[in-house]
Amino acid sequence: MPLDAKRNSLGFAKAPSDTRVVVAMSGGVDSSVVAAQLAEEGYDVVGVTLQLYDHGAALAKKGACCAGRDIHDARRVAETMGFPHYVLDYENSFRESVIEEFADSYLGGATPVPCIRCNERVKFRDLLETAKDLDADCMATGHYIQRRLGASGAELHRAADPVRDQSYFLFSTTSEQLDYLRFPLGHLEDKAATRALAAKYGLPVADKPDSQDICFVPNGDYASVIEKLRPGAGEPGHIVDLDGKPLGTHHGVIHYTIGQRRGLGIGGLSEPLYVVKLDPETRQVVVGPKSALATRLVPLRELNWLGDAPLESRSEWHIGVKVRSTRPPREAILRPKGEGFAEVELLTPEEGVSPGQACVFYDMDSTRVFGGGWIWRGY
């Protein structure tokens, strides 16, 4: 096929049948639709599902991705659409790259986001390399985000549906990875459109509920998981006010998160108190009024920059940022600090900013995502 031939829907100048694409299949409706759609278009589709944690325990767990039932569902979709499907055991990689850090971060008083680390270290690193080993031209996923070609190459953009947009969880995707990845669902107007496609293709997962929990955290009970991974982690300590005055006791710092109001066990006060700081070294949970949660300066590390010009080419960048996945981008100033570090100044202070979470960068005048960094306590 000549070089100036019309490119296919995945951007390659050759027929779909000559284009191999590995589809990361979680067993849910989103990735299943991606695989089915590409198979119908005639691509050489290879479905891959990752077993990320103990298969026996996974079979009994509902509402999470990459569990035993999901592996079965992914296989059924592959059989329905007639393409090969493989299950890869990534349990050790997942434990080392995601679960262990999750436990250590919680013990350190942070509020980690393991789904970002899973995308970064397992799906977009290990699985992506496997896709290349399979001689695939690209890897496709069911994430709701858009990849567009710009003047300087592939760009990351928010999904068309702001409710489903997953840019917060994909900020650490590198430019090199973005060259290889494809996100066929990012342009869809809503989840109903995805389910309509699933019904069109006759997929057995068309009505399957979305996953809700972190896959290895049953019912959102983080503390019980940490205590299992790190016996003795729930050591008791004091709940203190901003001046260090004891107000009560607790059964372990791991049971609390920044911004928490309920479950403190402190009554008879004139105003509500919130968790404003966790100090694992002294085993103190520091509480204060809601106003004490307001944060303006946010230190960042492990930066991933996706702008066209180098981050250090300016002393300041006026951008939008998200410090929580559920909040819209807010205006901010990004100041590079060298060697993967930066500081963000929020023009409007945010409440509940916690170490361990992500701060994601956006262009306020478009849908483009400029990367982001991990929030930490600073020096």
Side-chain angles (χ1 to χ4, degrees):
M1 183 174 287
L3 292 176
D4 60 350
K6 182 178 179 181
R7 293 182 177 272
N8 60 37
S9 63
L10 293 177
F12 298 98
K14 53 185 176 180
S17 59
D18 295 325
T19 306
R20 174 169 292 178
V21 52
V22 164
V23 179
M25 300 182 68
S26 68
V29 64
D30 299 327
S31 57
S32 296
V33 165
V34 168
Q37 186 175 47
L38 294 176
E40 187 192 53
E41 291 178 16
Y43 286 97
D44 178 10
V45 173
V46 178
V48 175
T49 301
L50 304 182
Q51 179 184 318
L52 298 180
Y53 49 96
D54 180 68
H55 186 65
L59 286 172
K61 182 159 174 19
K62 297 181 180 179
C65 70
C66 307
R69 179 69 190 180
D70 295 314
I71 293 172
H72 173 70
D73 288 342
R75 183 178 292 117
R76 290 172 64 204
V77 169
E79 291 173 351
T80 299
M81 299 303 299
F83 59 82
H85 173 257
Y86 302 96
V87 179
L88 303 181
D89 183 358
Y90 275 40
E91 187 174 336
N92 288 338
S93 176
F94 185 68
R95 171 174 284 275
E96 293 169 3
S97 301
V98 180
I99 296 180
E100 295 294 337
E101 183 187 87
F102 172 84
D104 292 338
S105 294
Y106 242 91
L107 286 176
T111 307
V113 191
C115 295
I116 298 178
R117 289 301 196 192
C118 182
N119 289 325
E120 173 189 317
R121 296 176 174 176
V122 180
K123 295 174 183 174
F124 291 176
R125 184 188 67 187
D126 298 343
L127 179 56
L128 190 146
E129 289 304 316
T130 298
K132 291 180 178 179
D133 290 341
L134 292 171
D135 294 324
D137 294 282
C138 64
M139 187 174 89
T141 78
H143 290 105
Y144 287 88
I145 197 166
Q146 298 187 77
R147 173 190 181 274
R148 297 178 183 174
L149 289 179
S152 300
E155 299 175 352
L156 204 60
H157 287 256
R158 282 180 279 172
D161 179 6
V163 175
R164 292 283 167 181
D165 174 59
Q166 291 177 292
S167 58
Y168 182 86
F169 299 98
L170 297 171
F171 84 85
S172 60
T173 305
T174 66
S175 296
E176 182 182 5
Q177 292 167 342
L178 198 54
D179 285 338
Y180 194 71
L181 292 165
R182 301 293 187 274
F183 308 106
L185 301 185
H187 69 285
L188 296 182
E189 60 185 14
D190 54 30
K191 186 59 176 271
T194 305
R195 294 197 181 277
L197 287 172
K200 170 188 172 183
Y201 300 131
L203 302 184
V205 296
D207 296 322
K208 185 175 181 178
D210 292 339
S211 59
Q212 299 295 332
D213 298 330
I214 294 173
C215 62
F216 60 91
V217 182
N219 305 316
D221 188 358
Y222 292 12
S224 65
V225 172
I226 303 303
E227 288 177 308
K228 182 179 179 181
L229 293 168
R230 301 287 188 271
E235 297 182 8
H238 287 100
I239 299 175
V240 302
D241 64 16
L242 295 175
D243 296 321
K245 176 184 176 182
L247 300 177
T249 59
H250 64 77
H251 298 291
V253 172
I254 61 172
H255 295 280
Y256 299 87
T257 58
I258 302 297
Q260 179 178 334
R261 174 185 173 187
R262 300 184 183 278
L264 300 181
I266 303 172
L269 300 173
S270 59
E271 63 177 331
L273 293 178
Y274 298 78
V275 176
V276 298
K277 182 182 177 182
L278 299 172
D279 192 336
E281 293 185 5
T282 62
R283 301 199 300 276
Q284 288 185 338
V285 174
V286 182
V287 298
K290 190 174 184 179
S291 59
L293 285 170
T295 300
R296 182 178 291 276
L297 295 178
V298 183
L300 304 178
R301 62 184 175 185
E302 292 184 65
L303 255 64
N304 180 50
W305 177 248
L306 296 175
D308 294 335
L311 179 63
E312 300 287 348
S313 65
R314 300 185 194 175
S315 59
E316 291 186 350
W317 294 81
H318 290 257
I319 57 172
V321 302
K322 276 189 183 186
V323 292
R324 291 282 183 89
S325 63
T326 55
R327 296 179 182 176
R330 306 284 181 86
E331 287 189 75
I333 300 172
L334 170 65
R335 299 186 178 96
K337 296 296 183 181
E339 299 182 3
F341 293 89
E343 180 183 77
V344 161
E345 179 182 351
L346 304 171
L347 299 193
T348 302
E350 290 263 6
E351 297 174 351
V353 177
S354 173
Q357 295 177 333
C359 179
V360 183
F361 309 150
Y362 298 87
D363 181 0
M364 291 298 286
D365 298 321
S366 72
T367 59
R368 190 168 178 186
V369 184
F370 284 140
W374 291 96
I375 301 170
W376 68 304
R377 291 183 173 82
Y379 294 107

